[in-house]
Amino acid sequence: MNIPPIVSPQEWEAARQELLVKEKELTRARDAMAAQRRRMPWMAVEKDYRFEGPIGPASLADLFAGRRQLIVYRAFYAPDVTTYPPGDGAYPQRACVGCSMLADQVAHPAHLNARDTTLAFVSRAPQAEIQGLKERMGWIIPWYTLTDDFDADFGVDQWHGHNAFIRDGDRIFRTYFIDSRGDEALGSTWSYLDMTALGRQEEWEDSPEGYPQTPPYQWWNYHDAYGESA
């Protein structure tokens, strides 16, 4: 391993300040991208998609759990999934290695719920196996079984990805989609909210007029302290 130069504290801080300029540029670019997502056109969802949940059949509207926004991640967990770490078990003990990693590092969903947003996973595995995996891993993300063409219709038939939706009355619209390496940046509350139509819903954001916004920090809380909002 060829290590970088060893320098004094002053030289190290100078190098950090030089890189910090680029890091701040990246942050501003990320904010601008999220603002552009909030101005994306919406696509109407016309089909009546059906899922199987822990308490029975569910519609796409049911996956919102009464909230205004929904993020759906297509996780590969089924008998025909073979992407596992060598010698580290297989279905039903494991989901796809990438999907397992993502699920295992997702922030507590109560923070999204507090912003009127639900995160749900969908897979081809039956509910008995899904619930068993969730219990073993301590995952609390709502996780449903695919029963129709939802995955094929939304770009996640043979690949993972996150679809964002919003409700307007009884109508549902697709607002954004992230897949491939874009998925690896997701998992935090902020990254998920940044892909939604309403964003973080904080006053500093560049959002269209009339979008819900509240002061930052004031809504932040422990996951078990939000009350009914979560």
Side-chain angles (χ1 to χ4, degrees), residues 38-146:
R38 293 191 288 277
R39 290 165 172 83
M40 275 279 295
W42 296 359
M43 186 193 83
V45 177
E46 305 291 358
K47 287 187 182 180
D48 180 22
Y49 294 101
R50 309 299 298 182
F51 307 84
E52 190 69 25
I55 60 173
S59 66
L60 182 59
D62 292 330
L63 270 60
F64 281 78
R67 301 183 182 94
R68 189 173 184 184
Q69 297 192 124
L70 170 68
I71 300 169
V72 179
Y73 177 66
R74 198 278 202 240
F76 281 93
Y77 182 50
D80 59 346
V81 175
T82 59
T83 51
Y84 309 112
D88 195 28
Y91 179 88
Q93 288 76 31
R94 293 196 65 96
C96 152
V97 60
C99 298
S100 298
M101 178 65 175
L102 186 141
D104 209 28
Q105 55 90 50
V106 167
H108 199 288
H111 305 296
L112 289 174
N113 299 164
R115 293 279 90 176
D116 210 11
T117 303
T118 296
L119 172 67
F121 279 27
V122 295
S123 296
R124 286 285 171 187
Q127 278 297 300
E129 305 295 1
I130 288 174
Q131 297 308 314
L133 179 63
K134 286 180 61 178
E135 290 175 9
R136 183 170 69 87
M137 297 304 300
W139 296 338
I140 61 173
I141 305 160
W143 200 325
Y144 297 86
T145 300
L146 291 158

